[in-house]
C-alpha cells in the first residue's frame, strides 16, 4: 500500500539530516563515506541512549577508571604515554582523525577553487544547478519542519455527520425556500460562502465497492444510493420503470419486456429518423446525446454499447435521485436544471436531445425552455420528445392536452425545427442547418436572434435568454457535414482554425498524453495487482475492466487525456472539466465527440458523493494558484474527496513546490500518497493517491 513517509523519532530526524549532509556536501574520503553509509544503513536508532541518569553516571565513572592507571610506585600514569601499547593506539587514532579533517578541508578548498576557475560560458548552467540544489535543500528542510511538528500542525479532517452522506453543496432546497425561491427555482444551484463543509463525507453504513464493468453497468448495490423500494416502483419516468429491486441489488437488466423495451424504444427512434436501427446513429452524424430527466440512465446505458455517449442531466433530488443512480452505474450524469439558468455547456454542443417524460413543461414561459434546448443542439441535430401530451388519440379526447401540444408544435416550427416523424407518444424534430431560415420567418412569429452581446458561446449559469443563440458562432456546421466518429476526434487544420489552434499544438498534446497514459498504467498496475489488497471472493481480471469506469479530468485543456485513454483501449469515459479560471477549449472538446462542462473549482461540482473512480488534474494547482488564492488548496482537496469513491485514485501532475504542499494535505485527508519524479531534470512531480475505504459503524 502506498505510504506517506513520517519521522517517528528524533533519531529519524538525525538520519535524514545526515543524508542531507551527504547530498549537499559530498565527501571524497571513502572511509568516512562508508562509515556514515553503514550508520544510515543500520539506522541511527542503533545509538544507545541510557534509560536513566544512573546509567549515564555509571558510564562516566567507568570511562574515568579506564583512563587512570596506577603504576608500581603508586603514581598515576598518563594514558597517552608513548611507552604503553594502548596509548600508542590512541595516538595513532588521533593522528588518523586529524588527517581526515585535513583531507576534508583540502577537498572542500579544492572544490571551491575549481568552481571559481570555471569558464564564464558555464556559469549560467552552474547557477541554475545551484538554484535547484538550493530549492531542494529548502524543500527538504521544510519537510523536516512540517513533519517534526506532528499532529499539532497536520491535524486530520473530521468526518461529516451521518446526514451528510449524500450531501451536495450549492443545492439546499429548504434554505432556498426560506430565501423566497419558488416555482421550481428552489431546486436551482445557489453557491454561497457557507455552502461548503470542511469535513469528509463518509459512505453509507452498508456501502459496497461498485461491481466492475460491464456487470456494474446493469447491477448496483441498494445500500450505495438513497432510494427506497417504494420510490423504485412509484417512478413516473419511462426509463425509471425499467429496473428490478432484488434483495441487496437493483438490476437494470432482465429477460422481461421491461428490459426489451429499451432496445425497442431506441430502434423506434432510429426508424423515425430514417435509419435501419440505433447502430446507424453514428452514420447519421450522431455521437453525443443530452438526456434530459434521464430516469436511471437505461437509455444511455443501452446506447453506450453502440459507441454513443449520453450525458444525463436532471434536477436535484434529495432521495431517489436519477443522477445518483445513473452515476452509481458508472454512466455520465450531472445535476442540471432548465428552471431559470442556462446550462454550463457551449452553444451547439450535442447531436441529439432526448426527453422521455422528463417532467419539463415545454409550453410554459413563452417557450424559453425550448429556446435553451435549441441553443445547445447542433445544426441538423434531433430533438426527441416522448410524452402523453404527444399522443394523438389521447389529446383528441382532452382539449387541454390538445391546446398544449399545438403550442409546442407551433413554437418548434417558429424556431426552425422540422417535425420529421410522430409515432404513438414520441415525436422527432430536426433543427435547421440554414441560418437563413430565421430571417425568412414571418415578423413576430417567433423569438428573435440573439445579438453578439447576448450570444455568449460558453455561458456559466447565466439567466435564460429569450432569443435564439449560437447563430453568431463560427462552429455552425451541420452534423451531416462533420466527419463521423471515431475519426471525428482528430480534427483537421481548417477545423482547428475555428478554435485558434494549429495542428502542431494538438499533435503535441496528443503525443504527451499517449506517453502519460502509458506511464500512469505502468505505475498503477503493480499497485492494483500486487500492492492493492484484494477483496474476498474477487479475482484479478485483465485490464481494462479492473481499472476504472469513469474519470474526472479537472483541467481537460483540449481533451487529450480522454483521447489517449480511448486510443489505449480503455473502456472508461471522461468528464472533461474546463476551469473558468483558464483558457476555454470546451467547444473543441465537445466537437471532438467527448462530454464535458465548464466549472469554477472554487465551487462544488454539481454531482453526488462517491461519483468517480479516478480524478486527474494536470496543471490545475498552478492555474488556481495564479488566481491569487480565490480558494484554498484544502477546499479543492475536500471536494475531490467528496467526489471520489472509496478505493478510488487521484493523480495530480504539477510543479514540485505545489506537489510538496499537496502531499502534506493528503495526511489531513487520510489518503495514502506517493510522490513520483517525472524526469530527473524536471521541476514537475506526480502525486498518486488512493482514498481508503472508511466504513461507518452501524448504530443500534
Amino acid at each position: 500500500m502506498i505510504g506517506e513517509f513520517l519521522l517517528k523519532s528524533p533519531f529519524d530526524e538525525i538520519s535524514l539530516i545526515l543524508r542531507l549532509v551527504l547530498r549537499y556536501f559530498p565527501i571524497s574520503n571513502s572511509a568516512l563515506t562508508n562509515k556514515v553509509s553503514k550508520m544510515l544503513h543500520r539506522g541511527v536508532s542503533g545509538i544507545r541512549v541510557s534509560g536513566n541518569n544512573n546509567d549515564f553516571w555509571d558510564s562516566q565513572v567507568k570511562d574515568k577508571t579506564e583512563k587512570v592507571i596506577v603504576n608500581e610506585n603508586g603514581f598515576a600514569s598518563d594514558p597517552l604515554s608513548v611507552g604503553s601499547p594502548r596509548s600508542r593506539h590512541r595516538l595513532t587514532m588521533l593522528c588518523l582523525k586529524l588527517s581526515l579533517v585535513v583531507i576534508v578541508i583540502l577537498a572542500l578548498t579544492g572544490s571551491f577553487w575549481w568552481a571559481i576557475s570555471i569558464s564564464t560560458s558555464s556559469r549560467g548552467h552552474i547557477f541554475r544547478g545551484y538554484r535547484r540544489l538550493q530549492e531542494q535543500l529548502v524543500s527538504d528542510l521544510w519537510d523536516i519542519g512540517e513533519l517534526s511538528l506532528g499532529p499539532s500542525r497536520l491535524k486530520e479532517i473530521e468526518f461529516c455527520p451521518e446526514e451528510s452522506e449524500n450531501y451536495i453543496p450549492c443545492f439546499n432546497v429548504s434554505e432556498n425556500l426560506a430565501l423566497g425561491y419558488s416555482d421550481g427555482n428552489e431546486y436551482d444551484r445557489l453557491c454561497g460562502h457557507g455552502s461548503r463543509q470542511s469535513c469528509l463525507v463518509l459512505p453509507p453504513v452498508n456501502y459496497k465497492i461498485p461491481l466492475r464493468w460491464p456487470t456494474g453497468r446493469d447491477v448496483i448495490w441498494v445500500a450505495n444510493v438513497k432510494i427506497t423500494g417504494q420510490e423504485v416502483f412509484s417512478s413516473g419516468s419511462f426509463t425509471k420503470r425499467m429496473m428490478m429491486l432484488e434483495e441487496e441489488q437493483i438490476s437494470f437488466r432482465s429477460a422481461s419486456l421491461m428490459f426489451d423495451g429499451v432496445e425497442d424504444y431506441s430502434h423506434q427512434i432510429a426508424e423515425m429518423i430514417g435509419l435501419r436501427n440505433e447502430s446507424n446513429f453514428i452514420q447519421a452524424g450522431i455521437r453525443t446525446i443530452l438526456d434530459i430527466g434521464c430516469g436511471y440512465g437505461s437509455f444511455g446505458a443501452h446506447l453506450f454499447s453502440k459507441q454513443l455517449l449520453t450525458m444525463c442531466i436532471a434536477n436535484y433530488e434529495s432521495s431517489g435521485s436519477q443522477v445518483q443512480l445513473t452515476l452509481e452505474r458508472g454512466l455520465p450524469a450531472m445535476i442540471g436544471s432548465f428552471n431559470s439558468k442556462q446550462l454550463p455547456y457551449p452553444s451547439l454542443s450535442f447531436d441529439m436531445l432526448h426527453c422521455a417524460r422528463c417532467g419539463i413543461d415545454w409550453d410554459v414561459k413563452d417557450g424559453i425552455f425550448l429556446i435553451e434546448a435549441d441553443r445547445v443542439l447542433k445544426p441538423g441535430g434531433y430533438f426527441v420528445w416522448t410524452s402523453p401530451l404527444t399522443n394523438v388519440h389521447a389529446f383528441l379526447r382532452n382539449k387541454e392536452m390538445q391546446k398544449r401540444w399545438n403550442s409546442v408544435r407551433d413554437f418548434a416550427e417558429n424556431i426552425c425545427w422540422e417535425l420529421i416523424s410522430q409515432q404513438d407518444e414520441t415525436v422527432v424534430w430536426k433543427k435547421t442547418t440554414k441560418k437563413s431560415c430565421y430571417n425568412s420567418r414571418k415578423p413576430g412569429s417567433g423569438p428573435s436572434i440573439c445579438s453578439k452581446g447576448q450570444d455568449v458561446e460558453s455561458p456559466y449559469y447565466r439567466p435564460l435568454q429569450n432569443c435564439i443563440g449560437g447563430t453568431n458562432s463560427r462552429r455552425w456546421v451541420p452534423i451531416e457535414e462533420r466527419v463521423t466518429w471515431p475519426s471525428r476526434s482528430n480534427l483537421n487544420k481548417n477545423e482547428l482554425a475555428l478554435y485558434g489552434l494549429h495542428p502542431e499544438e494538438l499533435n503535441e498534446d496528443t503525443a504527451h498524453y499517449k506517453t502519460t497514459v502509458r506511464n500512469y498504467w505502468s505505475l498503477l498496475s503493480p499497485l492494483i495487482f500486487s500492492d492493492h489488497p484484494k477483496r474476498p471472493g474477487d479475482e484479478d481480471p485483465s485490464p481494462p475492466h479492473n481499472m476504472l469506469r469513469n474519470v474526472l479530468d479537472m483541467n481537460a485543456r483540449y481533451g487529450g487525456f480522454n483521447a489517449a485513454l480511448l486510443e489505449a483501449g480503455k473502456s472508461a469515459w471522461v468528464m472533461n472539466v474546463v476551469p473558468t479560471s483558464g483558457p476555454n477549449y470546451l467547444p473543441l472538446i465537445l466537437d471532438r465527440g467527448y462530454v464535458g462542462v465548464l466549472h469554477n473549482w472554487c465551487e462544488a461540482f454539481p454531482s453526488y458523493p462517491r461519483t468517480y473512480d479516478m480524478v486527474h488534474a494536470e496543471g490545475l494547482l498552478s492555474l488556481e494558484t495564479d488566481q491569487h488564492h480565490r480558494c484554498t488548496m484544502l477546499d479543492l482537496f475536500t471536494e475531490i474527496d467528496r467526489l471520489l469513491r472509496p478505493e478510488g485514485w487521484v493523480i495530480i501532475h504539477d510543479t514540485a513546490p505545489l506537489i510538496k504542499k499537496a502531499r502534506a494535505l493528503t495526511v489531513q485527508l487520510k489518503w495514502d500518497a506517493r510522490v513520483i519524479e517525472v524526469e530527473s531534470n524536471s521541476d514537475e512531480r506526480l502525486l498518486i493517491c488512493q482514498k481508503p475505504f472508511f466504513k461507518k459503524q452501524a448504530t443500534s
Side-chain angles (χ1 to χ4, degrees), residues 196-211:
R196 286 184 180 271
Q197 283 189 350
S198 55
C199 56
L200 304 181
V201 178
L202 276 171
V205 174
N206 297 316
Y207 180 87
K208 296 182 180 179
I209 299 298
L211 299 170

Side-chain angles (χ1 to χ4, degrees), residues 409-455:
R409 183 194 59 194
D410 293 344
F411 193 88
E413 183 180 351
N414 288 333
I415 58 175
C416 293
W417 287 6
E418 178 190 359
L419 199 161
I420 61 173
S421 185
Q422 182 173 4
Q423 291 182 18
D424 303 326
E425 295 186 349
T426 303
V427 182
V428 178
W429 282 279
K430 182 179 177 67
K431 180 176 176 175
T432 185
T433 60
K434 299 177 180 178
K435 296 181 184 180
S436 59
C437 174
Y438 301 114
N439 296 323
S440 63
R441 296 175 299 169
K442 295 179 181 179
S445 61
S448 60
I449 297 175
C450 293
S451 64
K452 288 188 177 181
Q454 292 174 303
D455 197 3

Side-chain angles (χ1 to χ4, degrees), residues 212-214 217 287 304 309 330-332 521 542-551 562 564-574 613:
R212 292 163 174 154
W213 266 15
R217 193 161 56 226
R287 157 67 178 171
F304 193 89
L309 203 52
L331 298 166
W521 250 250
S542 59
H545 296 124
N546 69 304
M547 298 296 288
L548 47 94
R549 306 161 302 167
N550 52 26
V551 179
N562 194 155
L565 285 173
L566 289 174
E567 186 164 332
K570 310 303 178 186
S571 62
W573 63 271
V574 179
D613 298 335

Side-chain angles (χ1 to χ4, degrees), residues 140-160:
D140 286 341
L141 292 175
W142 178 85
D143 275 349
I144 295 173
E146 283 287 313
L147 296 173
S148 63
L149 289 175
S152 62
R153 180 65 178 271
L154 301 176
K155 184 180 179 181
E156 290 186 346
I157 301 173
E158 297 180 353
F159 292 113
C160 298

Side-chain angles (χ1 to χ4, degrees), residues 607-624:
S607 187
Y608 287 82
R610 303 172 297 279
T611 293
Y612 292 97
D613 298 335
M614 176 183 285
V615 174
H616 174 256
E618 180 171 343
L620 180 67
L621 302 183
S622 296
L623 181 64
E624 293 298 330

Side-chain angles (χ1 to χ4, degrees), residues 388-401:
L389 201 64
T390 65
N391 190 316
V392 177
H393 302 291
F395 65 62
L396 286 176
R397 299 188 300 269
N398 188 320
K399 296 300 180 182
E400 179 62 28
M401 288 179 64

Side-chain angles (χ1 to χ4, degrees), residues 264-284:
D264 292 341
Y265 177 65
S266 304
H267 190 81
Q268 177 190 357
I269 294 172
E271 289 183 334
M272 292 173 72
I273 292 174
L275 305 174
R276 183 177 181 181
N277 54 47
E278 63 271 29
S279 298
N280 298 115
F281 275 147
I282 287 180
Q283 281 68 37

